[in-house]
Amino acid sequence: MTLLAGVTGILNGGAVRHAVIGAVALAVHGVARATADLDLLAIDDRCLDASFWRDLTAREIEVEIRRGDSDDPLAGVVRIAAPGEPSIDLVIGRSRWQSEILARAAPTRIGDVLVPVVTAPDFVLLKLYAGGPQDAWDIDQLLDVEPMIAESVDEAIAALPDDSIRLWRQILANRSAPNPR
């Protein structure tokens, strides 16, 4: 059994809604980028309890739980690692809009596992929320492949913090500016 199959099996068994995010989701939507791990999103705080992962730790799979504090935009992150496999980072969100993203995720086959993957517009929303330079680059690359998603992002952006909205406007302005050569 692969690590992804084991993790999604536990999440599904606990009825924890989850979805692939990050570089693997970007690849599903047509933009290849190297990555050393696989990122998932969930909203369920039970994932931050060591007992939730007992089946994996019993097989000597490493599970590291990092809880966010009350000011952190995330409830925490669970890093799951097994020898010879890419690690999995399970990001535990806190926001209703993130829960809505999970509801819209579409089942997709990744290797031998059927797992929900965030939609392209929702991928952009998550990247805007993260707000780093790599996130902006990922958004720009995805817009090159799927330019029509901008309208869906515009419709949903109000749920995000002001910094995310500013970044979205900056990305769109940079894309529409003349390209000096």
Side-chain angles (χ1 to χ4, degrees):
M1 175 187 325
T2 67
L3 185 58
L4 179 59
V7 169
T8 58
I10 289 171
L11 293 169
N12 289 334
V16 174
R17 188 173 268 170
H18 60 282
V20 173
I21 59 174
V24 173
L26 186 62
V28 166
H29 294 296
V31 179
R33 176 169 64 80
T35 186
D37 64 1
L38 188 140
D39 300 313
L40 298 172
L41 173 68
I43 305 295
D44 196 319
D45 286 347
R46 291 178 299 157
C47 297
L48 296 170
D49 184 347
S51 65
F52 189 81
W53 303 104
R54 192 169 324 150
D55 289 349
L56 291 182
T57 56
R59 294 186 305 167
E60 298 188 17
I61 293 173
E62 183 181 331
V63 177
E64 176 189 347
I65 298 171
R66 293 173 285 189
R67 291 180 177 274
D69 61 27
S70 61
D71 294 335
D72 196 317
L74 300 176
V77 176
V78 180
R79 169 153 286 198
I80 304 160
E85 294 199 50
S87 61
I88 296 175
D89 285 338
L90 176 63
V91 176
I92 311 300
R94 296 183 190 254
S95 303
R96 177 184 168 111
W97 66 268
Q98 293 166 332
S99 183
E100 292 167 359
I101 283 174
L102 295 176
R104 292 187 293 265
T108 304
R109 187 155 300 282
I110 297 178
D112 60 349
V113 181
L114 189 63
V115 61
V117 175
V118 295
T119 67
D122 288 336
F123 176 88
V124 172
L125 294 173
L126 290 167
K127 288 294 189 168
L128 289 168
Y129 187 65
Q134 181 66 56
D135 302 306
W137 185 89
D138 287 346
I139 292 167
D140 196 53
Q141 297 303 302
L142 185 55
L143 288 170
D144 283 345
V145 174
E146 295 192 43
M148 300 304 290
I149 65 172
E151 185 177 319
S152 295
V153 173
D154 283 336
E155 292 171 2
I157 193 83
L160 273 63
D162 290 342
D163 288 349
S164 301
I165 295 168
R166 279 192 292 279
L167 177 57
W168 177 237
R169 290 181 183 147
Q170 178 185 356
I171 290 168
L172 292 178
N174 290 346
R175 292 181 62 79
S176 65
N179 191 2
R181 294 191 192 256

